[in-house]
Amino acid sequence: MKLYSTRNVNIVASSKEAIIKGLAEDGGLFTPNFFDIQDKKLKIEDLLKLSYKDIAKKVFSILLSDFSEEELDKAINGAYNKENFGPYSETVAPTTEIGEDFLLELYHGPTSAFKDVALTILPHFLTIANNTIDTSGNKNQNHKVYILTATSGDTGKAALSGFRDVDGTFITVFYPTDGVSDIQKLQMNTSLGDNVSVVAIKGDFDDCQRLVKEIYTDKTIKNLADENSMIMSSANSINIGRLVPQIIYYIYSYVNLVNNKKISCGDKINFVVPTGNFGNILAGFIAKLLGTPIHKLICASNKNNVLTDFINTGVYDRNRPLYKTISPSMDILVSSNLERLLFLLSDSDSDYIKSLMNELKEKGRYKVNDKLLSQIKENFEAFYASENECREAIKEAFEKDHRIIDTHTAIAYSCLKKYKNKNGTLCELTRRGDLTRRGELCEPATVILSTASPYKFAKFILPCITCDPIDNLDDFGKMYKLHDLTGEPIPENLLKLKDMKIRFDTTLSYNDCKKYVTDKIKSISLEQSLKKGQL
Ligand SMILES: *Cc1c(COP(=O)(O)O)cnc(C)c1O
């Protein structure tokens, strides 16, 4: 399957090339064509007996079609194993019940964030691609790959963990100084590995993301990288290798619901997705194109509701303040992957997408045409939840459903209530037990994507579920307190943080970051040469 730059369809790449490059030369995002995906539609009936890994292999062989079967096996087994997912190595992302709805638990990976699902496998895709094809034009294979990653918290740690000591790769993570939680900061700054580095930027997440995109398209840096046999790449969801692994759990969740007799095969269901950069929910849309019976993808935003406005009106307007919320991974005003949705739905009209993105850059605003808007509305609904509604949701899930959910999942939980209010309450017939009618006449079953372990955000969650004083507790004391109240085990990787050494404490202003990257390229090269004894 060919991948095209969203801003110029004449820029074409195979999946291996796209994974190595991260971003297209013109700043566009490598994306398949709508009809090429639909042509490869899967039959859900054929997937019912398959494991998570089997489904992954089927989907990868469609969308990452230049990877051989052996290469896919190697990547899949290297990612979804006991070392990374412990007791969840077979299921990876189980679907459980929450009240009358379902929770797709995506946080059982090595850093307790949903981003692990993709970032455990991306390093394998990348090294396989780098060892088997040559993107540089000269015959020097085995280029070093330098990965820059902007993070609002969770991507950073998951990427640092995934790429730790992966041969031939180097990674720098940029996070906004005040835009991530203390635990997230600690997770990143204690990262192990000789090939990793972490920089705090005085700015917000959008600054970090803009910086990374700017560096990729910077000619001087590109030349310097070339001279040093280095390829710049990305671990952000602008990399197609991040996006594709996220499609699997939508399909797998559907299959689970059928196998557990919660729905009949063919019934349409909804997914509610706590959304920031639009990567996760876009993966859901591709799952739909691949044949998963999805009624609506419900885009849940926090107070930074730029996507809610866009999906409801067709106007994307980033000219507004960025609020800091208790769901920091969604504090974003420019959702990169939306560009891919526009490309897919406009039948690969890259000139049109390019003009929209130029408007966004120049005026901070664009409006899509009516045809595109109606296609978006056919597939998506959008709501947002305030900080108080988020807290209410945590309380309600705990008291009513006996589930403890993190602040991002709570945004989705709250938005699902709004969706139900708007679309009428569930009719009696669709209550669990009457399977024949569900999804036909009445509201479909709905799955909430649960994107982080609540233990990463214990500080915000505790006040929602208890009146006990917590000010005297440090972050770990808060984790234990949450454990005492809920009985749910604390993930090992979070407990371990307590005894780990801080390795990184660099803070830079936006303008100093390019120099940081330039110096880094030089120092990596020097080190490599010394190692090889070339100097
Ligand atoms: C990254 C993240 C999100 C947002 O996902 P996108 O793919 O950026 O839309 C939501 N919740 C958590 C916990 C995250 O880390």
Side-chain angles (χ1 to χ4, degrees), residues 47-57 90-91 248 252 255:
L47 307 179
L48 297 178
K49 296 223 160 60
L50 300 189
S51 68
Y52 188 95
K53 290 188 222 179
D54 292 338
I55 294 176
K57 192 165 167 187
E90 287 305 314
T91 48
I248 317 306
Y252 183 65
V255 164

Side-chain angles (χ1 to χ4, degrees), residues 211-223:
L211 172 78
V212 167
K213 283 191 186 168
E214 247 173 46
I215 294 176
Y216 288 132
T217 43
D218 186 297
K219 291 259 150 49
T220 323
I221 293 183
K222 168 134 193 5
N223 288 340

Side-chain angles (χ1 to χ4, degrees), residues 2 46 61 74 83 186 198 200 222 227 317 348 364 414 423 442 464 466 480 502:
K2 284 183 180 157
D46 297 345
S61 62
K74 193 171 158 211
E83 195 189 326
L186 195 59
V198 180
K222 168 134 193 5
E227 279 164 27
D317 191 351
S348 311
S414 181
N423 292 285
C442 305
C464 309
T466 175
Y480 286 115
I502 304 272

Side-chain angles (χ1 to χ4, degrees), residues 245-524:
Q246 298 183 351
I247 299 166
I248 317 306
Y249 46 71
Y250 286 91
I251 303 173
Y252 183 65
S253 183
Y254 188 91
V255 164
N256 273 319
L257 290 181
V258 175
N259 285 338
N260 293 323
K261 309 226 178 329
K262 302 298 179 192
I263 57 170
S264 314
C265 195
D267 285 358
K268 288 192 173 175
I269 67 170
N270 293 326
F271 287 97
V272 196
V273 190
T275 297
N277 221 355
F278 211 76
N280 204 5
I281 196 166
L282 181 75
F285 181 64
I286 298 177
K288 182 174 181 176
L289 294 183
L290 281 172
T292 315
I294 296 176
H295 174 57
K296 293 279 177 182
L297 291 155
I298 302 167
C299 174
S301 298
N302 65 22
K303 200 174 160 189
N304 295 297
N305 57 359
V306 60
L307 284 166
T308 320
D309 289 347
F310 172 69
I311 291 171
N312 287 309
T313 67
V315 177
Y316 196 97
D317 191 351
R318 64 147 300 168
N319 300 308
R320 59 178 85 200
L322 179 71
Y323 299 111
K324 260 177 64 179
T325 71
I326 59 173
S327 45
S329 297
M330 298 157 68
D331 292 347
I332 296 175
L333 290 181
V334 180
S335 300
S336 290
N337 278 293
L338 187 59
E339 184 172 342
R340 284 194 164 113
L341 178 71
L342 303 179
F343 180 83
L344 285 166
L345 288 178
S346 69
D347 193 12
S348 311
D349 189 348
S350 61
D351 288 341
Y352 180 53
I353 307 305
K354 188 174 175 189
S355 72
L356 293 178
M357 292 306 129
N358 277 341
E359 274 180 63
L360 181 64
K361 192 166 178 201
E362 277 151 29
K363 298 187 207 121
R365 181 181 192 280
Y366 63 82
K367 182 177 192 314
V368 296
N369 61 40
D370 290 347
K371 183 166 166 236
L372 199 47
L373 180 59
S374 73
Q375 280 170 311
I376 292 169
K377 286 192 170 173
E378 221 178 281
N379 293 288
F380 295 86
E381 293 229 17
F383 301 88
Y384 76 95
S386 69
E387 293 293 88
N388 265 339
E389 287 168 329
C390 176
R391 294 192 182 96
E392 280 296 313
I394 292 169
K395 183 168 188 268
E396 186 179 326
F398 184 63
E399 288 176 356
K400 212 177 98 205
D401 306 323
H402 312 291
R403 296 293 311 251
I404 187 80
I405 54 175
D406 95 288
T407 48
H408 304 77
T409 309
I411 294 284
Y413 184 99
S414 181
C415 288
L416 175 54
K417 276 180 73 172
K418 295 185 182 197
Y419 170 86
K420 284 181 183 173
N421 280 338
K422 182 181 158 201
N423 292 285
T425 45
L426 281 177
C427 75
E428 284 308 309
L429 286 172
T430 66
R431 299 266 166 217
R432 211 166 313 130
D434 190 349
L435 301 173
T436 50
R437 296 294 180 86
R438 189 165 206 168
E440 287 173 33
L441 299 173
C442 305
E443 272 308 302
T446 298
V447 179
I448 298 171
L449 274 70
S450 185
T451 48
S453 159
Y455 285 105
K456 292 180 88 165
F457 304 96
K459 174 168 92 175
F460 300 135
I461 291 170
L462 280 170
C464 309
I465 61 168
T466 175
C467 298
D468 297 351
I470 56 162
D471 288 349
N472 56 332
L473 302 174
D474 68 5
D475 282 322
F476 296 95
K478 286 174 185 145
M479 282 189 206
Y480 286 115
K481 176 84 187 172
L482 190 58
H483 172 70
D484 289 344
L485 289 168
T486 65
E488 299 244 349
I490 308 175
E492 192 94 5
N493 75 79
L494 297 178
L495 275 181
K496 266 201 315 219
L497 288 176
K498 199 172 173 178
D499 306 314
M500 293 186 67
K501 253 191 23 219
I502 304 272
R503 293 185 63 212
F504 305 101
D505 60 359
T506 311
T507 304
L508 296 177
S509 67
Y510 189 92
N511 291 331
D512 293 332
C513 290
K514 273 194 187 170
K515 178 162 183 325
Y516 176 90
V517 169
T518 311
D519 290 347
K520 199 83 194 171
I521 293 174
K522 290 179 188 159
S523 73
I524 291 170

